Amino acid sequence: MRPLLSLFVGLLLCSSLHAETPVQRPQHALVASAHPAATVAGLETLAAGGNAFDAAVAVAAALAVAEPYGSGLGGGGFFLLREAGTTPRYRFVDARERAPLKAHASMYATPGKAGQAPSLDGALAAAIPGLPAALAHLSQRYGKLALRDSLYPAQRLARDGIGIDALYRERVSWRLKAMQADPETARIFLSDNQAPAEHSLLRQPELASTLQRLADHGHAGFYSGRTADLLVRAVQAAGGIWTHKDLTDYRVIERQPLRAKLQDGRELITAPPPSAGGVALIQSLAMLQQLNWRKADTLTRDHLVIESLRRAYRDRGLLGDPDQVRNPLASLLAPAYLQQLARSIDRQKATPSSSLPPATAWHEGQHTTHFTVIDQAGNAVSATLSINLPFGAAFTAKGSGVLLNNEMDDFAKAVDEQNAYGLTGSQANLIAPGKRPLSSMTPSFVESAGELSSFGTPGGSRIPSMVLLGILEYLDGQPIERWATRPRFHHQYLPDVLEYEPATFSSQEKAGLLRLGHQLQSTNRRYGNLQVLRWNKQSGAVEGASDPRGLGRADTLALPPQ
């Protein structure tokens, strides 16, 4: 049996495993995103002559307007890029938010106002946004169109309005009290201080003006000038610690993706730190292959996935911002270590997390969005964006329309303190000036000489487990719709419980998992919003799927040969 991962994993700077000939082109371009309006914005940009990177700008900006609960100009994210060619090139654009320069490890030691968590609600919870810088960077360095052209669909949506749907109203219900506490947020995103009626219009004229300044002046149109003045003035007036230097100093960072050789000539290209998800994904896949998961019955297969996730999540507390802490990637991805992890899994019983050798746990946030794009040249983008909790910090900078993130809660406020999701802190992820918080966002490609597939989802700490389950469906030869619809379960080492969607397991399977020693806990709702695509390089066929748990849409576009 061939090992899933070769002896060389981690940052592969060597030549690609899957050189292709220039004649291999997709028959169609494709966009799959979490909102139909964003998918249309991407297709519109492709039809106007843009490439996948222009379309990614259009989709990300449109999501900022249409899904203010999931992403926005006040947030950040990760963009995994594939540049087409005889030997494809990959880039990872890190647009993760940064802690303000006045931030410090004990800044949340003093409680906030009654009923308010200062790392979750209000101006002090906001890190410096990265998404606007990413949009300008992608357009300038990789795009074919002017930034103003790629941003126009989002400006139009902000000006003319976007329909309120059931998902928007549900997200409001989760954060209503915090949103009511900020007059500007309540004015824009609520109606009479309550969730707007379904099918009413959300208009954001101030955000349209902010997008126009970004379109006209690129990076400087957000991080200096009028927009910066509005942001800093509002944050400081509300007790935050932003300065103009925080904004003018912000830059995206291009990093090398993590790459690992898979079985059958495939290669995984995934997110490096400050994402912890790529490491967990590589580790989990390595363990499962060594355990010959595809030969197992359904119950044993699920058990092996759970035990692999338990061990992979255990290691995530060792990771942090690579510009400020040393990430032990070579050790965590070493073949001998991965074999040791696999050998520690008992096929007949669950391993209590407390019995594993101790490791520092970690801290993570929650709400995100994801999209994926491919053009007819074979350029592709897999991007995951976030403002953390739904509607971020529930604080909008007056006059800008920019709803700010609460990503400061993704830092560890103390090594032994849990966040809102039961995840405890780590030394590597403590708050420091200018630092990027650890994230679970895991945009990923799997590529071979014959095909390219893309995976990604929102879902906070559950992101790596969802991406893993989608990739396992792909490796098992299942149709693309199954990658996105597959019932989900999750284990993150601590707390030592197996979370699962309703209807994931039959009564017989639940009984079997209990006999193996797993502690089961239903989420009582479905979660995640996986967006996937596949390009068959032999036939040229392109197909995509958008998770039916959300409102998203995957559509293709055929353009005449150029």
Side-chain angles (χ1 to χ4, degrees):
M1 178 181 65
R2 281 181 283 180
L4 179 66
L5 294 174
S6 75
L7 294 180
F8 192 31
V9 296
L11 297 177
L12 297 183
L13 304 180
C14 58
S15 61
S16 173
L17 296 173
H18 38 78
E20 60 187 57
T21 65
V23 298
Q24 292 177 312
R25 296 289 183 95
Q27 290 178 348
H28 303 87
L30 184 141
V31 179
S33 86
H35 197 284
T39 297
V40 170
L43 295 173
E44 180 181 328
T45 303
L46 289 165
N51 60 18
F53 312 115
D54 296 308
V57 172
V59 174
L63 287 170
V65 177
E67 277 195 329
Y69 47 82
S71 66
L73 295 189
F78 298 142
F79 294 79
L80 182 61
L81 313 182
R82 179 194 191 268
E83 291 184 276
T86 303
T87 300
R89 295 198 307 164
Y90 309 99
R91 297 288 184 270
F92 182 82
V93 177
D94 176 357
R96 186 68 162 148
E97 300 88 341
R98 294 179 65 198
L101 295 174
K102 291 184 178 180
H104 53 87
S106 59
M107 64 184 288
Y108 297 113
T110 302
K113 299 176 183 177
Q116 183 186 60
S119 69
L120 292 174
D121 306 324
L124 194 62
I128 306 305
L131 182 61
L135 302 183
H137 178 84
L138 288 171
S139 178
Q140 180 179 7
R141 182 155 183 175
Y142 297 101
K144 294 170 62 179
L145 302 180
L147 179 59
R148 70 176 66 89
D149 296 327
S150 299
L151 291 180
Y152 179 73
Q155 287 179 259
R156 186 180 63 225
L157 287 173
R159 181 190 66 235
D160 297 345
I162 188 79
I164 298 296
D165 51 52
L167 188 60
Y168 182 102
R169 288 174 49 81
E170 178 190 52
R171 299 295 190 263
V172 167
S173 72
W174 296 353
R175 295 285 283 153
L176 181 59
K177 187 174 181 180
M179 295 173 74
Q180 290 170 336
D182 178 52
E184 189 70 356
T185 297
R187 180 183 71 83
I188 296 172
F189 299 104
L190 301 180
S191 177
D192 295 327
N193 233 22
Q194 300 297 319
E198 193 167 353
H199 308 305
S200 61
L201 279 181
L202 170 65
R203 291 189 172 94
Q204 302 170 76
E206 296 93 344
L207 184 60
S209 296
T210 296
L211 284 164
Q212 184 64 60
R213 289 188 290 272
L214 180 63
D216 290 341
H217 305 292
H219 186 281
F222 186 90
Y223 294 91
S224 60
R226 176 164 173 74
T227 299
D229 289 343
L230 290 169
L231 293 171
V232 172
R233 185 184 308 132
V235 167
Q236 291 184 354
I241 57 175
W242 286 20
T243 66
H244 279 89
K245 183 171 174 56
D246 286 313
L247 291 168
T248 57
D249 281 0
Y250 187 89
R251 294 292 185 276
V252 300
I253 298 176
E254 288 208 0
R255 306 188 190 277
Q256 288 292 335
L258 293 179
R259 295 170 63 176
K261 298 176 185 177
L262 306 184
Q263 61 188 357
D264 301 328
R266 298 182 176 104
E267 184 181 13
L268 173 69
I269 303 100
T270 189
S275 170
V279 173
L281 196 55
I282 292 173
Q283 288 183 321
S284 298
L285 285 167
M287 285 181 266
L288 288 169
Q289 181 61 22
Q290 291 177 52
L291 294 163
N292 204 8
W293 66 279
R294 288 190 67 184
K295 299 288 187 181
D297 61 75
T298 300
L299 178 61
T300 303
R301 183 183 286 198
D302 289 344
H303 169 67
L304 295 178
V305 173
I306 295 161
E307 291 300 304
S308 298
L309 287 170
R310 184 196 304 274
R311 286 154 177 79
Y313 272 79
R314 170 190 166 274
D315 283 345
R316 291 160 54 108
L318 301 172
L319 302 173
D321 181 352
D323 298 325
Q324 296 208 19
V325 300
R326 178 184 173 275
N327 287 290
L329 296 181
S331 299
L332 295 177
L333 300 177
Y337 178 63
L338 298 175
Q339 291 165 7
Q340 174 188 331
L341 291 179
R343 285 196 299 268
S344 72
I345 293 176
D346 188 333
R347 301 177 79 94
Q348 304 303 318
K349 65 179 180 180
T351 305
S353 293
S354 60
S355 72
L356 292 172
T360 308
W362 72 293
H363 185 102
E364 169 65 47
Q366 178 69 357
H367 203 72
T368 49
T369 192
H370 183 86
F371 68 87
T372 187
V373 179
I374 190 169
D375 63 27
Q376 285 186 254
N379 300 302
V381 179
S382 180
T384 311
L385 314 175
S386 182
I387 54 172
N388 199 20
L389 289 182
F391 295 96
F395 178 84
T396 305
K398 189 173 182 179
S400 72
V402 177
L403 182 65
L404 299 186
N405 69 83
N406 59 357
E407 298 288 1
M408 292 300 290
D409 190 63
D410 274 8
F411 284 112
K413 296 185 287 297
V415 173
D416 60 350
E417 183 176 345
Q418 292 186 343
N419 76 343
Y421 307 100
L423 296 169
T424 53
S426 72
Q427 189 70 36
N429 195 39
L430 287 174
I431 297 171
K435 191 175 184 180
R436 285 165 155 84
L438 196 64
S439 172
S440 282
M441 295 184 289
T442 316
S444 300
F445 295 133
V446 177
E447 184 154 12
S448 68
E451 62 184 13
L452 171 73
S453 297
S454 175
F455 302 83
T457 182
S461 61
R462 299 181 183 129
I463 290 174
S465 64
M466 285 188 278
V467 173
L468 174 66
L469 291 174
I471 290 177
L472 292 179
E473 293 297 311
Y474 157 73
L475 293 174
D476 205 27
Q478 299 300 316
I480 192 170
E481 293 78 14
R482 174 71 180 175
W483 308 356
T485 59
R486 188 218 192 281
R488 291 169 183 152
F489 57 85
H490 171 75
H491 200 293
Q492 62 182 43
Y493 173 66
L494 292 175
D496 191 354
V497 295
L498 172 62
E499 294 184 320
Y500 62 94
E501 289 184 317
T504 296
F505 304 118
S506 66
S507 298
Q508 184 178 3
E509 288 167 340
K510 288 179 188 177
L513 290 168
L514 289 170
R515 283 196 304 272
L516 290 170
H518 295 288
Q519 300 181 57
L520 275 60
Q521 179 178 301
S522 173
T523 59
N524 296 317
R525 65 178 183 88
R526 300 196 300 170
Y527 61 85
N529 199 354
L530 200 71
Q531 309 296 322
V532 293
L533 69 78
R534 175 165 58 188
W535 164 34
N536 183 316
K537 296 179 185 177
Q538 272 68 50
S539 68
V542 177
E543 55 183 338
S546 185
D547 199 324
R549 295 166 180 82
L551 302 171
R553 177 173 164 185
D555 269 344
T556 58
L557 175 71
L559 297 171
Q562 298 184 1

